[in-house]
Amino acid sequence: MSEFGDGALIACESLVRIYQSGPVEVQALQGLDLVVERGEMVAVVGASGSGKSTLLSILAGIDAPTAGRARVDRWDLLSMSRADRVRYRRHTVGFVRQQTASNLIPYLTASEMVDLPMTTAGVPARERRRRTTDLLGSLGVADFAARHPSQLSGGQQMRVAIAVALANQPEVLFADEPTGELDTATSAEVFGALRDVNRDLGVTVVIVTHDPAVSGQVERTVAIRDGRTSSEVLRRTATADDGGTHVIAEEYAVMDRAGRIQVPRDYREALELTRRVRLALEPDHITIRPDA
Ligand code: ADP
Ligand code: MG
């Protein structure tokens, strides 16, 4: 039998993270499933408090899950040793944090910040200089290489933060609300930059956001609600009979391996579905009826 998420770059199954704050238990993730293929650019959307940052900290190797399974590349995030975790964070993943400023070091210039993670990883000086120039160029901030964070706009700071995250050529880039502090036009630019690195450098990109408008910018959006994956929207471009192209977006409910799905609230309310429903198997579909 094939394993869940075989061949995928990222596979999370029934992922649980419980925070203990005093006597109170907070279930930030309650059995989340997520599969991301190599080379994809995916958005994870969800309301504030739905568990997005928790998911990214786990995937970035900063936080550890309470239960479930999580694999990125060849690393099992639940059983990896401390030394492997350091290696993983240094070489496999790049992480852009939610607060733009927390990604940057006030007293370093843009090129010094990109250089730093490579120095830590022991990359030779010549290679460091080459990669720094290439990355700042790819992200459209080559002209600001000698500037400090305070001399950069919010959008420029975010581009530099992305360059820093890509310095050690990670397989995957995680970005937590990368456009949360930016205006609409600047957000669109930063998104463009993320799409460019996804396409040109082949790095897999996972973006977390509470902004539903972001889904229009990527091919696949995964929605999480209450710490669980609830639906997915896939987008593709189709050509109409008149030759014009348009984008088709289709929404799917996500079913876990035990067969659980979440019925959207408006569907439940429309038919007054409560605790018990009637399921019936038809030749090519399943019906759900109220228990009346
Ligand atoms: P999001 O990023 O989607 O806004 P988070 O992952 O930050 O959501 O938080 C999910 C839930 O977990 C929230 O209820 C939040 O209050 C709680 N939570 C997050 N971090 C901690 C923590 N360190 N201790 C206790 N509760 C936490
Ligand atoms: Mg968050």
Side-chain angles (χ1 to χ4, degrees):
M1 205 181 105
S2 71
E3 284 281 305
F4 179 81
D6 249 0
L9 180 65
I10 300 172
C12 298
E13 193 188 353
S14 307
L15 202 59
V16 173
R17 177 65 169 102
I18 298 170
Y19 290 112
Q20 193 81 43
S21 55
V24 189
E25 263 191 3
V26 181
Q27 288 217 17
L29 297 179
Q30 316 194 31
L32 179 131
D33 295 331
L34 178 72
V35 173
V36 177
E37 303 295 334
R38 216 171 271 277
E40 259 196 300
M41 174 157 166
V42 179
V44 176
V45 302
S48 182
S50 57
K52 305 181 300 295
S53 293
T54 303
L55 172 66
L56 274 205
S57 330
I58 290 172
L59 291 176
I62 294 163
D63 188 19
T66 308
R69 297 211 295 174
R71 182 183 58 71
V72 178
D73 206 11
R74 63 186 196 287
W75 305 101
D76 178 340
L77 301 188
L78 278 95
S79 67
M80 94 180 136
S81 69
R82 194 179 285 261
D84 281 346
R85 191 171 285 276
V86 171
R87 215 166 300 151
Y88 174 77
R89 286 174 58 173
R90 191 169 291 164
H91 296 285
T92 307
V93 300
F95 188 40
V96 177
R97 286 164 195 280
Q98 191 157 356
Q99 281 79 29
T100 313
S102 65
N103 291 296
L104 303 173
I105 302 167
Y107 54 86
L108 295 185
T109 64
S111 63
E112 286 166 347
M113 282 184 281
V114 178
D115 184 89
L116 189 59
M118 293 186 270
T119 302
T120 312
V123 178
R126 179 195 294 259
E127 171 71 4
R128 295 204 308 268
R129 277 197 298 277
R130 188 187 66 76
R131 275 196 224 163
T132 301
T133 308
D134 284 358
L135 278 171
L136 292 176
S138 297
L139 285 146
V141 283
D143 292 347
F144 311 119
R147 292 204 191 172
H148 291 90
S150 63
Q151 300 167 305
L152 298 169
S153 70
Q156 290 159 356
Q157 288 183 357
M158 190 44 82
R159 285 154 182 271
V160 171
I162 295 167
V164 173
L166 294 173
N168 282 325
Q169 304 175 310
E171 293 287 331
V172 54
L173 175 69
F174 296 114
D176 195 352
E177 311 259 6
T179 60
E181 296 170 358
L182 305 174
D183 61 58
T184 313
T186 314
S187 296
E189 278 173 34
V190 168
F191 249 96
L194 287 166
R195 264 203 304 268
D196 291 349
V197 297
N198 169 249
R199 190 192 53 220
D200 301 341
L201 308 179
V203 59
T204 305
V205 179
V206 178
I207 300 154
V208 148
T209 177
H210 67 269
D211 178 5
V214 158
S215 358
Q217 311 258 1
V218 294
E219 276 176 20
R220 186 158 75 100
T221 306
V222 177
I224 66 174
R225 180 173 295 150
D226 303 330
R228 230 185 231 140
T229 333
S230 61
S231 65
E232 279 196 23
V233 175
L234 300 186
R235 245 156 249 279
R236 59 193 164 87
T237 312
T239 309
D241 292 342
D242 64 4
T245 58
H246 56 113
V247 175
I248 298 175
E250 284 179 293
E251 182 160 10
Y252 295 82
V254 173
M255 187 172 76
D256 72 12
R257 285 223 284 185
R260 282 181 287 253
I261 63 167
Q262 186 164 38
V263 178
R265 178 193 294 265
D266 45 332
Y267 288 23
R268 298 197 307 260
E269 287 175 352
L271 297 178
E272 291 177 32
L273 301 178
T274 49
R275 206 175 66 78
R276 281 193 312 213
V277 295
R278 287 176 187 278
L279 285 184
L281 179 62
E282 306 293 340
D284 66 345
H285 66 280
I286 293 168
T287 60
I288 303 180
R289 287 179 210 284
D291 173 31

